[in-house]
Amino acid sequence: MSERHSEVATPLTAMASAWTRFAETAVKGATAANRAAFSAFTVDGYADAYAPRDDDPEAVREASVPSLAYEELDWTFERTVDAPSDITVGDTVSFEKQLDEDDVRAFARASGDTNRLHLDDEFAADTRFGGRIAHGTLVSGLISAALARLPGLTIYLGQDLEFQGPVKIGDRVSATVEVLEDLGNNQYRLSTVIHDESSDKPVVDGEAVVLIDELPEN
């Protein structure tokens, strides 16, 4: 797998340049447009995200790193590097949360994947899993959450995944990304692994290629 990524490093450089130009233009335009809209929101500019939850009105909190909009108290993460310029091979970021009923139903609605395996208890009971499981793409989304906690502004360029096991609804899941190779031009090849903490089993394995920019000032 590493050889294949090395072969595509040159075209990824061109792609990264295009992404960089696009990101710079988009950020400048969006910042001006969003500033006025956010002025009517809460002080943090994320009214919907900070809306009280019925089950826990204080579950949402301000983000602990500038690349995030907000966090929930139940989420945890660790990282070994705090500045984009310091990222090196071996650095890691991990993110952990529970995938609950609300997550599964919100993902089904947002994605349109209303497969009964994820939503219908009676139907799922007769499958090989013996009950409902979380969407594989929802589970792998924790990789994106971990990447968002790398220092800087992380932009996905590619992702390979292998699903190795199901995740039951209510299980606590962790994603860990590790820098395997510096490809140059702020691009990195990363390992991406997800564990089901409830069973202590790996459920997703793969690699990603990302571009990491400096965060915009606003």
Side-chain angles (χ1 to χ4, degrees):
M1 183 175 289
S2 60
E3 291 180 359
R4 181 168 63 81
H5 279 296
S6 296
E7 292 171 1
V8 299
T10 298
L12 279 174
T13 301
M15 183 186 298
S17 298
W19 264 106
T20 301
R21 291 193 297 272
F22 168 78
E24 289 175 350
T25 302
V27 167
K28 290 178 182 177
T31 298
N34 290 340
R35 188 177 292 118
F38 285 167
S39 66
F41 286 12
T42 65
V43 65
D44 301 284
Y46 299 94
D48 291 340
Y50 282 95
R53 283 175 26 180
D54 293 339
D55 59 333
D56 188 352
E58 296 183 355
V60 179
R61 63 183 177 187
E62 293 185 10
S64 58
V65 294
S67 58
L68 304 177
Y70 70 95
E71 296 175 314
E72 291 197 8
L73 296 178
D74 181 56
W75 302 350
T76 61
F77 84 95
E78 296 179 353
R79 67 183 187 182
T80 61
V81 60
D82 294 319
S85 59
D86 294 333
I87 295 175
T88 188
V89 172
D91 279 324
T92 62
V93 177
S94 62
F95 172 78
E96 183 178 319
K97 75 180 294 289
Q98 182 187 45
L99 291 180
D100 60 21
E101 182 75 21
D102 289 342
D103 292 327
V104 171
R105 295 197 176 275
F107 183 83
R109 184 170 57 254
S111 67
D113 182 357
T114 56
N115 188 330
R116 294 171 68 187
L117 176 62
H118 310 303
L119 302 174
D120 186 328
D121 284 307
E122 185 175 353
F123 174 87
D126 292 330
T127 69
R128 67 173 63 216
F129 303 107
R132 289 192 296 135
I133 62 173
H135 304 72
T137 309
L138 170 59
V139 176
S140 64
L142 269 70
I143 295 171
S144 184
L147 293 176
R149 286 157 174 81
L150 282 165
L153 177 63
T154 304
I155 301 169
Y156 249 131
L157 297 181
Q159 174 77 62
D160 291 329
L161 290 176
E162 177 184 335
F163 294 94
Q164 300 181 337
V167 172
K168 296 179 180 179
I169 297 169
D171 283 358
R172 193 164 183 85
V173 183
S174 67
T176 300
V177 302
E178 180 179 352
V179 179
L180 298 179
E181 183 180 1
D182 184 341
L183 300 174
N185 297 306
N186 299 324
Q187 298 173 56
Y188 300 90
R189 182 170 65 90
L190 313 170
S191 67
T192 54
V193 180
I194 296 179
H195 274 80
D196 185 339
E197 297 295 323
S198 300
S199 62
D200 195 29
K201 294 180 179 179
V203 291
V204 177
D205 190 17
E207 289 190 3
V209 177
V210 299
L211 167 69
I212 300 180
D213 281 343
E214 293 287 345
L215 286 170
E217 295 182 359
N218 295 319

